[in-house]
Amino acid sequence: MGTHRTNIDEKIRRLIRPSILAMSAYHVPDASGLIKLDAMENPYGWPDEIKQEWLQCLSGIDINRYPDANASELKKKLRSVFSIPAEQDLLLGNGSDEILQIIALAVARRDAVFIAPEPGFVMYRAIAEIAQAKYIGVCLNKDDFSLNLDAMLEAIEQYQPVLVFLAWPNNPTGNLFDEDAIKQIIVSAPGLVILDEAYHAFAQCSFMSYLGQYDNLVVMRTLSKLGLAGLRVGFLAGANSWLQEFEKLRLPYNIGVLTQKSTEFILDHIDILNRQAQEICQGRQALFEQLNLIAGLRVWPSAANFLLFRSELLSGEEIFEKLKQQGILIKNLQNSHPYLENCLRVTVGSRQENEIFIECLQGIL
Ligand SMILES: *Cc1c(COP(=O)(O)O)cnc(C)c1O
């Protein structure tokens, strides 16, 4: 027994890829009992009668049967609600993270390079590691986090990336990159460009209408930030010739029957989520103005449902810890990128959550 156990570490080191051994698993902090302003979730629930209707609709499901493998009804509703151009195909993922993984696995090979601007969405690097691709982060401009177009074009020329990720608006900076700069990147890129529109509900601009113009562009969205984070639904829109290849990597039944039916149901009531998104945008404006008034803070404008701010007096770490002690969880960005020194990211919550957050922050500073 003992000898079997002593061998396990050696076996793991021999069998697990070194790049996986070197990774750490995605860490989700424990938020129990805290006001959760760390993960860009929608703070609002559904009206009671809608909830009842939803439960009614779920009660008819045959849970012993596999879900519709093509999720045809759900796709039809997504097309209509999000105005997907009829000539574009749709691919669904268990969250858009799964779509990133599918695309990465489809294109990655020895020496393949993925490029993304930084600071950016952490999953791009993680997915590159999983797919055994080389990841190159290209710094944004330091002051306003706009795209450094020259640096991007140079990196594209030098590395000939098979994938370029562009989050629009960007996470964690919240800004929208210049549209013409994005177009130049798409035209210059030898590989596929994924336009990640996770925050579309709060920015209201999109590259969806350009899909027909560029044969190396796909547009990705998620329902997570709009209010369905618990369901895990993301979608990719693009040419059938790309998506039929990606379909081969999608595991069958990746969208469960509860997710399909629940999403179909709420898409029939999309006005509820849209109204909540509008409210969040108003909250964002109010929160921005209040943060701006606090001495010792710098806050950046945002087109998403979160705000990035820097503490110029206390350390970001100290603010993060003190907020947590007072029951508020936000995101500490210290050590995530050299440009984000003493930076924190706060999700726009309900009006009441925002007020408590501002009060606590004022108290701390
Ligand atoms: C949150 C986020 C996603 C992932 O969302 P899912 O919940 O996996 O659909 C993708 N891209 C960006 C930029 C995000 O911030």
Side-chain angles (χ1 to χ4, degrees):
M1 195 63 190
T3 47
H4 288 298
R5 290 245 15 122
T6 46
N7 282 338
I8 189 165
D9 286 347
E10 181 274 323
K11 281 198 182 102
I12 287 168
R13 277 197 306 276
R14 181 160 47 82
L15 293 173
I16 304 288
R17 266 168 26 212
S19 60
I20 303 295
L21 289 173
M23 282 176 81
S24 10
Y26 188 80
H27 170 70
V28 178
D30 179 18
S32 40
L34 300 176
I35 295 179
K36 201 167 178 310
L37 301 177
D38 67 323
M40 282 77 92
E41 291 145 320
N42 176 337
Y44 303 111
W46 303 348
D48 267 343
E49 72 270 18
I50 298 290
K51 234 176 183 170
Q52 288 310 318
E53 236 184 276
W54 168 53
L55 293 174
Q56 198 62 41
C57 150
L58 292 186
S59 70
I61 289 176
D62 292 325
I63 208 85
N64 53 317
R65 301 290 174 196
Y66 279 112
D68 173 4
N70 295 316
S72 310
E73 191 57 32
L74 173 54
K75 280 186 182 170
K76 209 163 82 188
K77 292 205 161 140
L78 287 168
R79 281 187 174 281
S80 133
V81 165
F82 295 107
S83 311
I84 314 294
E87 64 281 10
Q88 301 300 329
D89 240 18
L90 273 189
L91 174 117
L92 304 191
N94 189 333
S96 50
D97 286 348
E98 188 187 40
I99 296 174
L100 293 173
Q101 186 188 51
I102 287 173
I103 299 174
L105 291 174
V107 298
R109 60 184 77 199
R110 189 186 287 276
D111 301 328
V113 172
F114 298 176
I115 285 183
E118 286 207 335
F121 185 43
V122 291
M123 284 310 291
Y124 302 152
R125 179 190 290 272
I127 293 279
E129 263 165 35
I130 291 168
Q132 295 190 277
K134 187 179 158 95
Y135 175 84
I136 302 285
V138 178
C139 282
L140 295 167
N141 289 314
K142 193 169 179 178
D143 197 57
D144 62 357
F145 302 116
S146 59
L147 271 178
N148 182 341
L149 182 60
D150 289 341
M152 281 299 285
L153 295 180
E154 232 169 80
I156 287 169
E157 173 69 26
Q158 181 183 349
Y159 294 105
Q160 298 288 302
V162 295
L163 273 189
V164 177
F165 302 98
L166 293 172
W168 202 61
N170 190 41
N171 173 11
T173 58
N175 57 317
L176 284 162
F177 300 138
D178 179 69
E179 208 174 302
D180 287 322
I182 294 179
K183 288 179 184 167
Q184 285 195 56
I185 289 169
I186 297 170
V187 169
S188 312
L192 187 65
V193 177
I194 304 177
L195 217 84
D196 181 348
E197 299 184 342
Y199 299 96
H200 172 260
F202 315 100
Q204 291 302 334
C205 45
S206 176
F207 263 66
M208 197 71 86
S209 63
Y210 296 124
L211 280 172
Q213 276 180 44
Y214 303 104
D215 65 4
N216 62 333
L217 172 68
V218 287
V219 171
M220 192 176 79
R221 300 243 187 111
T222 175
L223 301 188
S224 297
K225 315 295 157 64
L226 180 59
L228 304 177
L231 284 181
R232 309 299 296 134
V233 183
F235 63 89
L236 185 75
N240 168 267
S241 30
W242 281 113
L243 268 58
Q244 68 180 1
E245 300 306 321
F246 301 147
E247 267 297 332
K248 299 172 187 172
L249 283 101
R250 184 178 68 82
L251 294 177
Y253 313 118
N254 64 330
I255 313 292
V257 65
L258 294 177
T259 297
Q260 289 191 32
K261 290 292 172 209
S262 301
T263 311
E264 286 164 25
F265 172 83
I266 198 65
L267 287 179
D268 283 338
H269 303 275
I270 191 66
D271 50 311
I272 297 175
L273 297 186
N274 286 339
R275 250 182 279 126
Q276 292 175 345
Q278 270 177 20
E279 222 163 297
I280 289 167
C281 287
Q282 287 165 10
R284 173 182 71 199
Q285 183 60 28
L287 200 56
F288 176 82
E289 286 164 14
Q290 284 166 312
L291 284 170
N292 228 351
L293 286 177
I294 300 179
L297 288 189
R298 167 155 188 209
V299 54
W300 279 269
S302 166
N305 63 341
F306 59 85
L307 290 164
L308 175 75
F309 63 99
R310 168 177 286 142
S311 164
E312 284 156 348
L313 299 172
L314 297 183
S315 79
E317 180 74 28
E318 194 174 344
I319 292 179
F320 172 79
E321 288 301 336
K322 286 193 164 153
L323 281 170
K324 204 169 154 191
Q325 279 162 20
Q326 296 178 48
I328 301 170
L329 184 66
I330 65 170
K331 177 79 178 173
N332 179 11
L333 295 165
Q334 191 66 37
N335 302 325
S336 65
H337 191 276
Y339 289 3
L340 296 178
E341 212 178 320
N342 293 316
C343 281
L344 300 142
R345 186 191 67 198
V346 62
T347 304
V348 180
S350 66
R351 184 182 297 226
Q352 196 194 7
E353 288 171 335
N354 298 341
E355 275 169 15
I356 297 172
F357 163 71
I358 286 288
E359 259 173 50
C360 289
L361 192 60
Q362 279 168 338
I364 291 166
L365 287 160

